[in-house]
Amino acid sequence: MKRLIRVKKISVAIALATVASSWNAPVFAQPVMEEVVLQARLKSSAEELIGERMDDDVVMDFIDSEFISRVGDSTVAGALRRVSGLSLVNDKFVYVRGLGERYSSTLLNGSVIPSPDLTRSVIPLDLFPTTIVESLAVQKVYSPDMPAAFGGGSVDIRTKGIPDDFTYGIDVGIGVDSENESKHLSYDGGSDDEWGTDDGTRALSGFIRSTMNEYQGNVEVQNLLSAMQSRDMPNASLADAQLLNRELAVAMNRNLSIQEEDDDPNYELKGHIGNNFYLSDEWEFGFLAGASYKRGWDDTESTARNFQFPDERFEIERESNRKTDLHGNINLGLRFTDDHRIETLSMYLRNTDDETAIRDYFNENREKSDGIGFREYRITFEERDLTVNQIMGEHYFGAATREKLPDWGIINWLEDVLPEESKINWKYSESRAATDIPNEVTIAGTTTNDPITGAVLSSAVDLDTRAAVYRFTDLQDKVENGGWSWVVPLITESSVIELSGGYEWNRKHRLYEQQQFSIGAFRVNDPSVLEGPLSQVFSEENILDPTNDFIFGVPGANNQSYIAATMTDAVFGKLDWTYDETWRVMLGLRWEDYSQVALDWNINGYSIENPQVTTDVATLEEAVFKEDEIYPSIAVTYMTEWWAEIFQLRFGYSETVVRPDLREITDSGYIDPITDALVLGNPGVIPSDIKNYDIRAEWFFDSGDNLTVSFYLKDIQNPIEFFEAAASDTNTAREIINAEEGEVYGMEIEGLKSLGFLGDWGEAFFLQGNVTIQESEITAGAKADAPTNNVRELTGASEYVVNAIIGYDSFNSQHAATLSYNVFGERLFVAGRNGAPDGYEQPFHSLDFTYTWFPTDYITLKLRLRNLLDKEITIEREGVETFTEAPGQIIAVNFQWDF
C-alpha cells in the first residue's frame, strides 16, 4: 500500500537524518555502530513514535521514555506538561485543552484504575514514577473503543514490556532544594516512617474503639454517667464519668511537640532486571522486574492575604513535608510465534506525605495591629497505595496459527474468510487504591504579636474544649475492568476496510470512613498549663488533673463517611475505511449502560432510629442514578504530499460525557487539601454532555522534521463546576453544581526542527515546541449562589500554554543536553461571590536544564536543574497578591548503570 510505503519512507528518513548527525563532515570513515545506535536513540526520542501517530485514526500525541529521560522529569505528571494543550496543576493533575482534571481520564495499559486521592476521582499523576513508563499516549479526540467519560482527553500510561535480551541496571540519585531550610519542622513519629507507613503509633487505639461501641458513639460525660448508672455501676459519680472521658483523651497519640530536624539531601534508588528466554523456535518467555525508593524533604513557605485588607489580614504558613515514594513491579510475557502474546503486570506504588506545619494568621476578629493573632499547628501523615494486577492477550489468525489448526470444515471456512491480520484482544485488570491517614491533628492557639511587624512574641494553646482536633481517615477503592475486542481487515484493490468491535465492563466500589475526635480544656488551674511544647500541654499529668477540666469529645456530626459504587457495561463497533490511499473515514458507536449509587454512612449509628445507612425508601431511590446512551464518533482524514513527504488533514466529531465524582453526589462535606476550602457535595448534580469538534493538519518531512496545526471546539451542557458558597468568618466554602453551559475553543501549533540548516555545527541541535491559544466561557445559571460574574472562564483554563525545548547531541555521542521552557497564561483559581473579585493564578515561567554524559556504553551520569528562574506561584485578586509560594530550585545528580 502506498500509505504504508510513505510511513516507512519517513521512518527511514528520520533514521538517516539521525545517523547523519553523528558523522563528522567530511566523512572519512565508517562510524562505529555502537555510537550510531546511541546517537539515534538520543536524537530520535522526540521522533520515534511518529509512525504510530500517523497510523492512528484519531488525534493522538505521544511521549516516549527516552524523551522523558532527556528532559529529566521524574513523574508522569511532570512529563505530560510537555504535551501541547496540557497544563499541570498542583504538580499532580493535568488539564487538557483548558478543562479541569475532572475532564481528563487516566488509563494504565488501556485499563481503568482507581484513584487514591481522597477528594478527586482522577488519579494524581505524580504517583507514577517515570521509571515504569515505556510511553505516554494522549488521546485528544474520542474514539468508540475508549470509555465515553471523555472530556478534554485521555492519558494512557503504557508500562515497559518484556526486554529482547538480558538486561539489568541501577540508578542512584541525590538532590537538594533551595527552599529547604537547614532545619525542618518535624515531630516524633513511628519506627516505620522511613518506609512510608505507620507502625501503629498514630492509629486509633483499641480502647477508644471499644468504648465508642460500648457507649454507641456518645462519650460525653453526661451520657457516660447515665450509661454507667443504668448498667453495673449504679453508684457511679460524675467524677467517675469525667475520669473515663479523660482516659479516652490519654489514649490518643499526644506526642505532638513540633521540633526542628537537621537537613539531609534528598535521595533515590532504582533498579531493574529482565531477560527473554527462547524456549524453542516458536515459544519464548520473558520477565522484567523493577523497584525504586525515594525519600526527601520538601519545605515551603506561603503567604495568603485578604484582597481588601492585605496588610492587616493575612497568614504565613511554614510547612515541611517528609516524602517517601516506593514502587515494585514485575512483568511476565509469553509469546507463541508472531501470532500470540500474553502479558501480565503486577505493580505496587506507595506515596507518603508526612507533613508538619505552623500557620500564623490574622482575620477580621484579630488584625495585625491588635497585637494578638491566631496560630494553627498541623501534623498529617498520609499514605497512598495503589496495587494493580493485569493480564492481557493479543491473538492473530496468522500463517503460523493456521498451520497448527486441524483440517475441519469450519476451520477451513474461517481460513478462507478471515485475513491473516485478523486478531482478537482481551484484558482483565483488578486494582485497589487505599489512602490511610492514621492521624491528622490540628491544634488551635493564640499568639502575642508585635503590632508593627506582626512578629510572634509568644504563643499558647487555646482554652477551648476543641483545641486539638484529631481526624482518622481510611479510603478503600477497588476497580475491576475487563473486555475483549476483535479486528477484521478487508483489503481490495483500492480500499482497506477494518471492521472492529468489542465489549467492555467496569465495576468500582468505594468505602470512605472518616472519624473525628477532640481534646481541649474547659478551664485550667494555671494559664501556664497551655504554654510550652505541645506534648507537655497535652501530657497525661495535665489531662488527668481534675482541676484542669480537659474534655474528650466527638465534634460535629461526623457525616463525612460514605459508601459508593458504579457499574458500566459497554458495547462498541467501528468501521475504518481507507480509500485510494488518500481518504480515510472512521465511523463508530459506543453504547454504555451506567449505574451509580452513593450513600452517606453514619459510622456512629447504633440503632434503628440512628442507622448507619438510611432505610428510607425515597432516599435510597434518590441515591441511585442510571443512564444508557449511545455515543457516536466520526473521523475523516485526507492524505497527500502537499508541502511534505506526508500531509494529513483530519476532521473529527464526537459526543461524550463527564460524570461527577462519587464523593460529589453525597451530602457529605470535606476539606480540599489543595485549596483548604470546605467543599459541599450535591446529590442533585448530573453528568455533563459534551460535543467535540476537531481539525488537525500534519506535515511530516523527509528530514524528520514535522509540523502540526490543530483547531478544536468543545460545547458543554450542564458543565460540572465549583462555585463559591456562603461561609462563616474567614472560611472559604465551595459547592459543586451544574452550570448552565460552557465552551472551550482554541488552536495548537507544535513542531520539531533540526537546526542543520544553520551549518555543520547545527546538526547537533534540534528545536521542539508547541503553543496552545484558547478561550473558554461558562454561564453559571440559576443554580449558582450569587456569583460575581455569571459569565466567566472555566476554572483552571488559561489563554495560552507554551513549551519549548532545545536539544543538543554531541557528534561523539557522549554528551546530550536539553533546555526546557514551559509557561501557562493567567488562569482562574477561584470565582468570586457577592461582588468579590475572581482570583487568578499568575503565569509561571519554568526553565529546566538536563545534561547527560555517557562515559561508556553502560554508564550514564545526569545533572538536572529545575526552576532556574526561581519563580514563585502567585494568585491575585484585583491586583492584590492574595497567595504566594516559592517552590524553590532543585539540583539533582543521578548515576545510572545499565547492561
Side-chain angles (χ1 to χ4, degrees):
M1 291 173 55
K2 186 186 297 182
R3 184 171 186 277
L4 181 59
I5 294 173
R6 288 175 181 169
V7 172
K8 288 183 177 178
K9 286 172 65 178
I10 286 291
S11 300
V12 171
I14 291 173
L16 290 176
T18 301
V19 172
S21 68
S22 67
W23 297 347
N24 291 304
V27 177
F28 57 87
Q30 289 292 327
V32 180
M33 181 57 65
E34 288 79 2
E35 292 188 356
V36 173
V37 172
L38 180 62
Q39 183 72 12
R41 175 175 62 84
L42 292 170
K43 187 72 176 289
S44 65
S45 63
E47 301 166 335
E48 63 183 10
L49 292 173
I50 292 295
E52 184 175 0
R53 192 175 104 178
M54 287 191 292
D55 280 339
D56 274 302
D57 51 18
V58 295
V59 173
M60 301 278 289
D61 285 312
F62 298 92
I63 295 180
D64 73 328
S65 57
E66 291 298 336
F67 176 84
I68 295 172
S69 175
R70 75 172 301 145
V71 296
D73 293 316
S74 60
T75 68
V76 167
L80 284 171
R81 66 191 172 110
R82 315 291 181 184
V83 178
S84 63
L86 271 64
S87 55
L88 186 62
V89 178
N90 300 118
D91 291 327
K92 295 184 178 185
F93 305 108
V94 170
Y95 281 34
V96 182
R97 289 180 164 177
L99 293 171
E101 72 269 5
R102 75 167 63 255
Y103 292 92
S104 64
S105 59
T106 301
L107 305 175
L108 183 68
N109 296 320
S111 292
V112 178
I113 55 176
S115 170
D117 190 272
L118 290 173
T119 59
R120 289 164 172 82
S121 62
V122 296
I123 300 170
L125 293 173
D126 63 334
L127 181 67
F128 296 94
T130 52
T131 53
I132 69 171
V133 175
E134 180 65 32
S135 65
L136 301 173
V138 181
Q139 184 167 333
K140 298 178 181 178
V141 174
Y142 175 70
S143 59
D145 53 349
M146 299 287 294
F150 185 99
S154 177
V155 177
D156 188 10
I157 303 172
R158 302 171 174 181
T159 58
K160 293 181 177 178
I162 307 306
D164 295 328
D165 205 343
F166 179 63
T167 179
Y168 64 88
I170 60 172
D171 190 335
V172 180
I174 189 171
V176 294
D177 188 332
S178 65
E179 284 300 306
N180 286 355
E181 304 287 344
S182 59
K183 298 287 186 179
H184 305 282
L185 297 179
S186 185
Y187 65 100
D188 292 333
S191 59
D192 292 336
D193 286 4
E194 62 182 347
W195 298 107
T197 191
D198 182 53
D199 64 355
T201 298
R202 305 171 178 86
L204 188 62
S205 73
F207 172 60
I208 295 177
R209 291 184 182 275
S210 62
T211 304
M212 288 287 291
N213 289 330
E214 182 180 355
Y215 293 94
Q216 298 188 0
N218 189 343
V219 292
E220 294 181 356
V221 172
Q222 289 299 326
N223 184 71
L224 293 175
L225 178 60
S226 299
M228 294 165 70
Q229 290 176 342
S230 64
R231 297 177 185 177
D232 54 354
M233 297 180 62
N235 297 321
S237 65
L238 179 63
D240 294 327
Q242 289 174 329
L243 178 59
L244 176 57
N245 180 271
R246 292 178 185 133
E247 287 175 343
L248 290 171
V250 171
M252 301 291 284
N253 175 36
R254 294 164 291 101
N255 195 3
L256 305 173
S257 291
I258 294 178
Q259 59 213 17
E260 291 190 333
E261 184 174 330
D262 290 336
D263 183 38
D264 52 354
N266 300 342
Y267 62 92
E268 60 181 341
L269 303 170
K270 307 173 188 175
H272 72 270
I273 185 170
N275 203 354
N276 200 349
F277 304 95
Y278 295 90
L279 307 179
S280 69
D281 292 339
E282 296 179 331
W283 290 90
E284 60 179 288
F285 170 79
F287 78 94
L288 178 67
S292 66
Y293 176 81
K294 183 178 181 180
R295 188 161 167 84
W297 289 101
D298 183 15
D299 287 357
T300 59
E301 183 169 312
S302 60
T303 301
R305 299 182 182 275
N306 180 286
F307 74 93
Q308 292 177 307
F309 308 96
D311 296 327
E312 286 288 325
R313 304 175 188 176
F314 60 90
E315 65 177 54
I316 298 176
E317 180 177 80
R318 177 188 172 190
E319 177 187 284
S320 294
N321 184 4
R322 185 66 151 157
K323 302 172 71 71
T324 305
D325 300 296
L326 58 88
H327 108 275
N329 69 277
I330 182 166
N331 301 55
L332 302 176
L334 181 66
R335 186 186 297 273
F336 175 68
T337 67
D338 290 331
D339 289 350
H340 304 278
R341 174 178 57 87
I342 296 177
E343 293 186 357
T344 68
L345 167 68
S346 293
M347 181 175 66
Y348 175 77
L349 296 169
R350 175 182 294 167
N351 171 257
T352 300
D353 290 331
D354 191 2
E355 300 174 351
T356 309
I358 299 177
R359 181 170 69 104
D360 295 311
Y361 63 100
F362 307 93
N363 58 26
E364 68 271 23
N365 298 316
R366 297 177 185 173
E367 295 187 333
K368 185 190 75 170
S369 59
D370 296 333
I372 185 171
F374 300 92
R375 167 166 286 190
E376 180 186 85
Y377 304 91
R378 178 171 53 84
I379 296 172
T380 306
F381 186 91
E382 181 172 350
E383 176 188 344
R384 295 174 290 272
D385 302 281
L386 178 64
T387 304
V388 179
N389 290 290
Q390 295 181 336
I391 182 170
M392 60 211 81
E394 183 177 63
H395 308 277
Y396 282 90
F397 196 51
T401 300
R402 295 168 187 249
E403 292 177 0
K404 303 293 183 181
L405 295 176
D407 189 15
W408 294 348
I410 188 171
I411 298 297
N412 294 334
W413 178 78
L414 288 174
E415 290 179 358
D416 293 336
V417 173
L418 297 178
E420 291 188 1
E421 293 80 9
S422 302
K423 68 174 180 177
I424 293 177
N425 289 63
W426 56 270
K427 63 181 180 180
Y428 174 76
S429 174
E430 179 184 281
S431 47
R432 298 174 184 267
T435 298
D436 181 28
I437 304 180
N439 197 0
E440 179 182 1
V441 188
T442 56
I443 301 173
T446 299
T447 58
T448 302
N449 303 79
D450 185 318
I452 304 299
T453 64
V456 176
L457 304 177
S458 64
S459 64
V461 173
D462 280 352
L463 184 63
D464 190 315
T465 57
R466 297 180 180 178
V469 175
Y470 290 73
R471 182 179 295 115
F472 300 85
T473 304
D474 181 59
L475 168 71
Q476 299 292 331
D477 234 352
K478 178 182 177 181
V479 172
E480 288 185 274
N481 175 239
W484 55 267
S485 63
W486 53 268
V487 178
V488 176
L490 305 174
I491 302 175
T492 68
E493 184 176 347
S494 61
S495 299
V496 175
I497 300 174
E498 190 174 86
L499 302 175
S500 60
Y503 166 73
E504 189 170 2
W505 57 272
N506 185 61
R507 307 288 185 265
K508 180 177 182 178
H509 315 277
R510 173 176 290 186
L511 187 68
Y512 181 85
E513 179 182 2
Q514 182 175 301
Q515 179 77 71
Q516 292 188 128
F517 301 97
S518 62
I519 304 175
F522 182 73
R523 59 177 172 269
V524 293
N525 63 357
D526 188 331
S528 63
V529 168
L530 301 176
E531 300 174 356
L534 298 177
S535 298
Q536 177 181 314
V537 173
F538 295 99
S539 66
E540 182 174 346
E541 178 183 0
N542 283 342
I543 291 176
L544 294 181
D545 185 348
T547 62
N548 285 332
D549 202 5
F550 273 84
I551 296 174
F552 177 82
V554 182
N558 270 284
N559 63 346
Q560 290 82 15
S561 304
Y562 65 95
I563 54 178
T566 64
M567 182 170 65
T568 307
D569 290 277
V571 177
F572 62 90
K574 184 170 68 172
L575 167 67
D576 187 357
W577 176 29
T578 301
Y579 175 72
D580 197 28
E581 301 153 5
T582 304
W583 290 95
R584 185 179 185 182
V585 179
M586 187 277 289
L587 300 173
L589 294 173
R590 184 183 182 94
W591 171 79
E592 278 197 358
D593 184 17
Y594 175 80
S595 302
Q596 72 179 27
V597 60
L599 292 168
D600 293 337
W601 177 22
N602 177 16
I603 59 176
N604 292 325
Y606 293 91
S607 64
I608 297 178
E609 295 78 15
N610 185 31
Q612 291 200 352
V613 178
T614 182
T615 57
D616 181 70
V617 175
T619 303
L620 291 173
E621 290 177 348
E622 291 176 358
V624 178
F625 175 82
K626 293 184 177 182
E627 70 173 4
D628 66 284
E629 298 286 346
I630 295 177
Y631 301 94
S633 60
I634 179 172
V636 179
T637 304
Y638 172 69
M639 299 168 287
T640 186
E641 297 182 356
W642 178 53
W643 193 36
E645 184 72 12
I646 290 181
F647 168 73
Q648 295 188 146
L649 182 62
R650 301 175 181 265
F651 304 86
Y653 170 79
S654 61
E655 296 178 11
T656 56
V657 66
V658 170
R659 302 180 178 109
D661 179 27
L662 290 175
R663 183 161 195 165
E664 295 168 347
I665 56 176
T666 69
D667 287 319
S668 64
Y670 60 92
I671 301 297
D672 189 322
I674 295 176
T675 63
D676 289 326
L678 172 65
V679 179
L680 306 174
N682 179 6
V685 70
I686 61 174
S688 304
D689 295 319
I690 305 177
K691 293 182 178 179
N692 309 279
Y693 305 86
D694 291 86
I695 301 176
R696 179 166 178 155
E698 301 171 315
W699 291 269
F700 301 96
F701 300 93
D702 55 8
S703 63
D705 299 342
N706 61 78
L707 174 66
T708 301
V709 180
S710 305
F711 300 89
Y712 57 89
L713 167 65
K714 294 183 180 292
D715 184 6
I716 311 171
Q717 295 299 313
N718 303 310
I720 303 170
E721 275 282 297
F722 287 111
F723 284 86
E724 193 167 350
S728 60
D729 296 330
T730 55
N731 295 327
T732 300
R734 298 196 300 169
E735 59 181 342
I736 188 79
I737 68 167
N738 287 111
E740 186 174 306
E741 60 182 1
E743 68 174 10
V744 179
Y745 57 91
M747 177 179 69
E748 298 171 348
I749 303 174
E750 57 185 308
L752 170 70
K753 177 63 180 175
S754 172
L755 301 185
F757 67 93
L758 297 177
D760 292 341
W761 64 271
E763 294 288 348
F765 294 87
F766 70 91
L767 177 66
Q768 182 183 5
N770 54 72
V771 177
T772 301
I773 303 172
Q774 65 184 10
E775 294 286 342
S776 69
E777 182 178 284
I778 190 172
T779 302
K783 295 180 180 179
D785 184 12
T788 299
N789 298 306
N790 190 56
V791 178
R792 60 165 174 82
E793 306 96 324
L794 271 73
T795 304
S798 57
E799 293 184 350
Y800 62 87
V801 179
V802 178
N803 286 290
I805 295 174
I806 298 177
Y808 167 77
D809 296 317
S810 69
F811 291 118
N812 65 5
S813 308
Q814 290 189 335
H815 306 276
T818 306
L819 187 66
S820 308
Y821 172 75
N822 170 267
V823 64
F824 57 82
E826 186 179 74
R827 58 191 183 194
L828 182 66
F829 180 79
V830 59
R833 176 179 176 272
N834 281 335
D838 297 336
Y840 290 90
E841 184 176 359
Q842 299 304 297
F844 184 89
H845 298 266
S846 172
L847 185 64
D848 304 330
F849 176 76
T850 302
Y851 166 72
T852 307
W853 178 36
F854 304 91
T856 73
D857 291 342
Y858 308 111
I859 294 177
T860 303
L861 294 175
K862 183 175 294 184
L863 171 68
R864 293 179 293 153
L865 307 177
R866 290 290 171 269
N867 193 20
L868 291 174
L869 302 178
D870 199 19
K871 294 295 184 178
E872 293 186 341
I873 300 170
T874 305
I875 297 173
E876 291 187 1
R877 300 183 80 162
E878 279 194 343
V880 177
E881 291 187 355
T882 58
F883 179 85
T884 58
E885 180 179 292
Q889 297 173 299
I890 296 176
I891 303 175
V893 178
N894 284 74
F895 169 85
Q896 183 176 341
W897 178 40
D898 284 307
F899 177 81

